[in-house]
Amino acid sequence: MTDAELRQRALKVVPGGMYGHLNAALFAPGFPQFFERGQGCRQWDVDGREYIDFMCSWGPVVLGHHHPRVEEAAARQARLGDCLNGPGAIMVELAELLVDTVPSADWAMFSKNGTDATTQALMVARAATGRTKVLMAHGAYHGADPWCTPSPAGTTPNERADLVEFTYNSLESLEAAAATVEGDVAAIIVTPFKHDSFEDQELVEPEFARGARALADRLGAALVIDDVRAGFRIDLRGSWEPYGVRPDLTAWSKAMANGYPIAAVTGTDALRGAAQQLYSTGSFWFSAVAMAAAKATIETLRDTDGIAAMERAGTQLREGLYAQAKSYGFTINQTGPVTIPWLSFDGDADLSVAMYWTDACLRHGVYLHPWHNWFMSAAHTEEDVAKALEGTDQAFAETKAHFG
């Protein structure tokens, strides 16, 4: 069954044929919608085309598809049981691992998706403070629930009424936002760096990170780090730990279990009582297989220094792309951490160049994205990146020929 045939069948039984962030209709024309399999840092679509993948399933696959240590742990737990009348011992073991790994974590709660975790974190903050308002950066993505979805369809204005926006990396803007709701701020929620889609990424200014921590303390509000996208690719201890800034609550997901569905909130002892008050649950939140995969993933990243491997591969990719773009006369911007990179073309406001280039990359066996950040995995070797750069070089040549 071809991609085109599956799209036609899907149109009859799935709204629009596909929905959400994996909807290939939102990308360049050549992007496949349906995939057959993955292995290491490669994926194959249903038409049999092979790609060196730099989206890593939009972040979850951090060690590579079918990593033996993760798969063995998951299979061992599956033989015992997955969705039972209560959690397995693995829940306690995983929570202990997170508390041992993350300095700001004294406890952990589990769910399934990043949206679950960010929503749960704000519930804890509101339960602890008795307040309603949340300070959030303008344009930031924190999930797909009605309070945070980027699309207003199916939501009401009331569901966003308690959000007060500020400009990322501007302490002045953050202070001003807090002043508009003085006395009612439950939380400041912030991503480790600015990774809004369609825009160049922006690393956090250390002064902003420390200022946000100081403001939360002064307000008696919770500082919530949304580490769903960046977690386990910058620092295992938490993405603001290198700046000496520790949050009250952290939301985790994506890379946590190398593709198995799980999310978590970790928090400090001061918020343990508030977390106990919540009624926050789900039929599959305590499934044991994903927890076993998460424990194996985190331990493997720790034992093999997986982040350092991603940094090496990401640096190689960034340097190679810069040299290629320069040789073809393109001015590009490469932003974000090298483990969570993105490339944009200078002056490409309508993304037409990015669309053409990423489409050309696909034709040469490299899966990148025109308007969303990419992801490195520990499975990307020096040889893999070198092979990918052969494809991107051909894509630059074709893009140059097309645009002149």
Side-chain angles (χ1 to χ4, degrees), residues 3-135:
D3 188 87
E5 290 169 334
L6 285 168
R7 291 190 196 215
Q8 287 301 310
R9 289 174 60 185
L11 280 170
K12 298 177 182 178
V13 292
V14 177
M18 185 56 187
Y19 54 93
H21 68 294
L22 299 184
N23 184 357
L26 303 174
F27 316 152
F31 274 71
Q33 182 64 82
F34 294 95
F35 288 79
E36 183 177 76
R37 64 189 178 97
Q39 182 65 47
C41 67
R42 285 168 165 77
Q43 291 195 32
W44 288 259
D45 66 24
V46 294
D47 292 331
R49 295 183 297 178
E50 177 183 342
Y51 308 99
I52 299 174
D53 175 34
F54 292 100
M55 286 303 289
C56 297
S57 306
W58 293 65
V61 178
V62 70
L63 293 172
H65 293 275
H66 292 122
H67 188 277
R69 183 171 174 181
V70 176
E71 294 305 309
E72 195 279 330
R76 183 171 60 248
Q77 182 60 55
R79 288 191 292 270
L80 296 173
D82 183 20
C83 189
L84 303 170
N85 285 350
I90 188 64
M91 185 184 79
V92 179
E93 295 168 9
L94 177 57
E96 289 172 339
L97 177 61
L98 285 171
V99 169
D100 289 343
T101 303
V102 180
S104 63
D106 294 312
W107 51 265
M109 300 174 72
F110 300 104
S111 53
K112 280 296 170 194
N113 290 289
T115 305
D116 298 331
T118 55
T119 300
Q120 194 175 52
L122 296 188
M123 290 173 68
V124 174
R126 287 177 169 135
T129 62
R131 302 171 185 169
T132 60
K133 304 301 182 185
V134 173
L135 309 185

Side-chain angles (χ1 to χ4, degrees), residues 36-350:
E36 183 177 76
R37 64 189 178 97
Q39 182 65 47
C41 67
R42 285 168 165 77
Q43 291 195 32
W44 288 259
D45 66 24
V46 294
D47 292 331
R49 295 183 297 178
E50 177 183 342
Y51 308 99
I52 299 174
D53 175 34
F54 292 100
M55 286 303 289
C56 297
S57 306
W58 293 65
V61 178
V62 70
L63 293 172
H65 293 275
H66 292 122
H67 188 277
R69 183 171 174 181
V70 176
E71 294 305 309
E72 195 279 330
R76 183 171 60 248
Q77 182 60 55
R79 288 191 292 270
L80 296 173
D82 183 20
C83 189
L84 303 170
N85 285 350
I90 188 64
M91 185 184 79
V92 179
E93 295 168 9
L94 177 57
E96 289 172 339
L97 177 61
L98 285 171
V99 169
D100 289 343
T101 303
V102 180
S104 63
D106 294 312
W107 51 265
M109 300 174 72
F110 300 104
S111 53
K112 280 296 170 194
N113 290 289
T115 305
D116 298 331
T118 55
T119 300
Q120 194 175 52
L122 296 188
M123 290 173 68
V124 174
R126 287 177 169 135
T129 62
R131 302 171 185 169
T132 60
K133 304 301 182 185
V134 173
L135 309 185
M136 183 185 91
H138 176 73
Y141 183 82
H142 294 294
D145 270 358
W147 71 268
C148 56
T149 176
S151 170
T155 69
T156 68
N158 287 342
E159 287 164 320
R160 300 183 71 95
D162 291 322
L163 301 178
V164 182
E165 294 188 341
F166 61 87
T167 301
Y168 195 91
N169 262 340
S170 170
L171 269 179
E172 181 181 1
S173 174
L174 179 58
E175 294 270 5
T180 65
V181 286
E182 187 173 355
D184 196 24
V185 179
I188 301 169
I189 186 169
V190 64
T191 55
F193 64 96
K194 188 174 185 288
H195 49 54
D196 306 352
S197 295
F198 301 98
E199 297 180 12
D200 288 344
Q201 301 186 103
E202 186 178 331
L203 297 180
V204 71
E205 297 288 344
E207 295 79 7
F208 175 79
R210 296 179 188 120
R213 173 71 275 173
L215 178 62
D217 291 339
R218 192 166 79 244
L219 297 174
L223 177 62
V224 180
I225 299 296
D226 177 356
D227 230 342
V228 169
R229 193 178 302 190
F232 306 107
R233 277 191 168 90
I234 295 176
D235 192 310
L236 286 184
R237 303 169 300 169
S239 295
W240 275 9
E241 188 66 23
Y243 304 106
V245 177
R246 293 180 179 173
D248 302 295
L249 296 159
T250 305
W252 311 85
S253 189
K254 281 200 185 289
M256 188 173 169
N258 202 46
Y260 284 84
I262 193 168
V265 173
T266 56
T268 62
D269 261 330
L271 296 174
R272 187 189 299 268
Q276 289 177 229
Q277 296 174 33
L278 301 191
Y279 185 78
S280 183
T281 190
S283 296
F284 305 104
W285 283 16
F286 305 101
S287 297
V289 169
M291 293 183 179
K295 182 172 181 284
T297 298
I298 296 167
E299 288 174 338
T300 302
L301 286 168
R302 178 198 65 198
D303 297 345
T304 63
D305 203 359
I307 291 177
M310 287 184 271
E311 289 173 343
R312 288 191 296 272
T315 299
Q316 180 188 0
L317 180 66
R318 180 164 291 185
E319 291 175 350
L321 291 173
Y322 174 79
Q324 290 174 353
K326 185 177 180 181
S327 73
Y328 288 103
F330 289 107
T331 301
I332 61 170
N333 304 304
Q334 296 194 79
T335 54
V338 294
T339 55
I340 312 172
W342 190 54
L343 179 153
S344 66
F345 290 84
D346 195 46
D348 187 30
D350 64 357

Side-chain angles (χ1 to χ4, degrees), residues 357-377:
W357 179 73
T358 52
D359 215 7
C361 287
L362 286 174
R363 293 193 297 271
H364 296 289
V366 185
Y367 195 103
L368 299 166
H369 200 280
W371 50 257
H372 188 284
N373 69 263
W374 316 333
F375 297 90
M376 303 302 297
S377 80

